[in-house]
Amino acid sequence: MEADFAVELGADDETLEFPWAEDGGLRYYDLKRQPELLPKLEEARRVPELGGFLGVINSSSSILETAKCDTWSSTEINPEEEVFGAAHKFCSYVDILFSAGTSRYCLAEHEQFAKRVTQLLKRAPEIPAAAEFLLRRAFYHSADEMQEGFYITLYLFGYGDGEPQARRRWAIALKLVENAIRQVELM
């Protein structure tokens, strides 16, 4: 399994407003404090493996929580992905943040976390999958203020000859990521 992390803090890079809301019905669900809301997430209903991952990451024993997620499939294979020899990929992203307020504002903690998880994943069995952890800027809103901090976007890809095979490989990779995160949380 390929795994890597990068820091994206440029002016044009993605950011996260937290908590967030969009026009059109999409909204943030606080799964950390209200786990009973998990079945309301369309993504978790559509892809049960993602729902399981969200349940673990947002559990009371985890130091993390999630903000956004999605899954999709694609036949667009980038040149750097040709090494997998696949015609199809199943993709996801999950925006992950630390639950503890002080950790949310510490770039070094984010870098250390991403580095440790990536190192563990590089030792995982060789499967046609790739994980990328991107450290990005977040804007945390409370009742009377906004503080700039950080979050991590996990992009995960499983590759295969068709969507079913790519999705199975993605699901295996998601479980490997979950296990690596659990190990890092125990360190």
Side-chain angles (χ1 to χ4, degrees), residues 45 48 68 71 75 90 100 107 143-144 153 162 169 173:
R45 287 192 314 270
K68 289 183 177 182
T71 62
T75 55
F90 193 82
L107 179 61
D144 55 347
T153 298
R169 290 173 173 170

Side-chain angles (χ1 to χ4, degrees), residues 70-128:
D70 200 7
T71 62
W72 66 98
S73 60
S74 176
T75 55
E76 291 182 32
I77 304 296
N78 299 325
E80 63 272 9
E81 297 171 310
E82 291 174 0
V83 67
F84 296 110
H88 208 97
K89 65 182 174 181
F90 193 82
C91 320
S92 66
Y93 85 86
V94 179
D95 288 337
I96 300 170
L97 44 117
F98 285 104
S99 292
T102 55
S103 295
R104 289 181 175 178
Y105 311 110
C106 181
L107 179 61
E109 284 188 52
H110 285 78
E111 286 180 306
Q112 184 177 20
F113 181 83
K115 182 185 257 184
R116 285 181 174 167
V117 172
T118 301
Q119 288 170 340
L120 287 172
L121 290 172
K122 286 181 178 183
R123 293 188 224 151
E126 195 72 32
I127 63 168

Side-chain angles (χ1 to χ4, degrees), residues 28-187:
Y28 166 70
Y29 288 104
D30 187 347
L31 301 177
K32 182 74 165 187
R33 286 149 205 86
Q34 296 176 291
E36 69 276 7
L37 295 177
L38 183 58
K40 291 186 179 268
L41 251 63
E42 192 271 329
E43 295 87 352
R45 287 192 314 270
R46 184 171 33 93
V47 183
E49 301 92 343
L50 179 62
F53 179 80
L54 295 173
V56 168
I57 300 302
N58 288 289
S59 71
S60 61
S61 63
S62 177
I63 63 171
L64 305 171
E65 58 190 278
T66 60
K68 289 183 177 182
C69 64
D70 200 7
T71 62
W72 66 98
S73 60
S74 176
T75 55
E76 291 182 32
I77 304 296
N78 299 325
E80 63 272 9
E81 297 171 310
E82 291 174 0
V83 67
F84 296 110
H88 208 97
K89 65 182 174 181
F90 193 82
C91 320
S92 66
Y93 85 86
V94 179
D95 288 337
I96 300 170
L97 44 117
F98 285 104
S99 292
T102 55
S103 295
R104 289 181 175 178
Y105 311 110
C106 181
L107 179 61
E109 284 188 52
H110 285 78
E111 286 180 306
Q112 184 177 20
F113 181 83
K115 182 185 257 184
R116 285 181 174 167
V117 172
T118 301
Q119 288 170 340
L120 287 172
L121 290 172
K122 286 181 178 183
R123 293 188 224 151
E126 195 72 32
I127 63 168
E132 186 172 14
F133 297 84
L134 302 178
L135 284 61
R136 295 172 165 168
R137 194 173 320 282
F139 299 96
Y140 292 98
H141 297 273
S142 62
D144 55 347
E145 68 177 350
M146 186 272 298
Q147 278 190 281
E148 188 174 316
F150 307 95
Y151 75 107
I152 298 171
T153 298
L154 160 64
Y155 284 100
L156 188 64
F157 307 95
Y159 301 90
D161 294 332
E163 182 177 351
Q165 184 181 53
R167 183 172 170 167
R168 281 192 304 276
R169 290 173 173 170
W170 168 87
I172 293 167
L174 186 64
K175 191 52 91 171
L176 291 170
V177 169
E178 178 184 312
N179 290 338
I181 287 173
R182 284 179 168 176
Q183 288 180 41
V184 170
E185 286 181 323
L186 296 174
M187 291 179 168

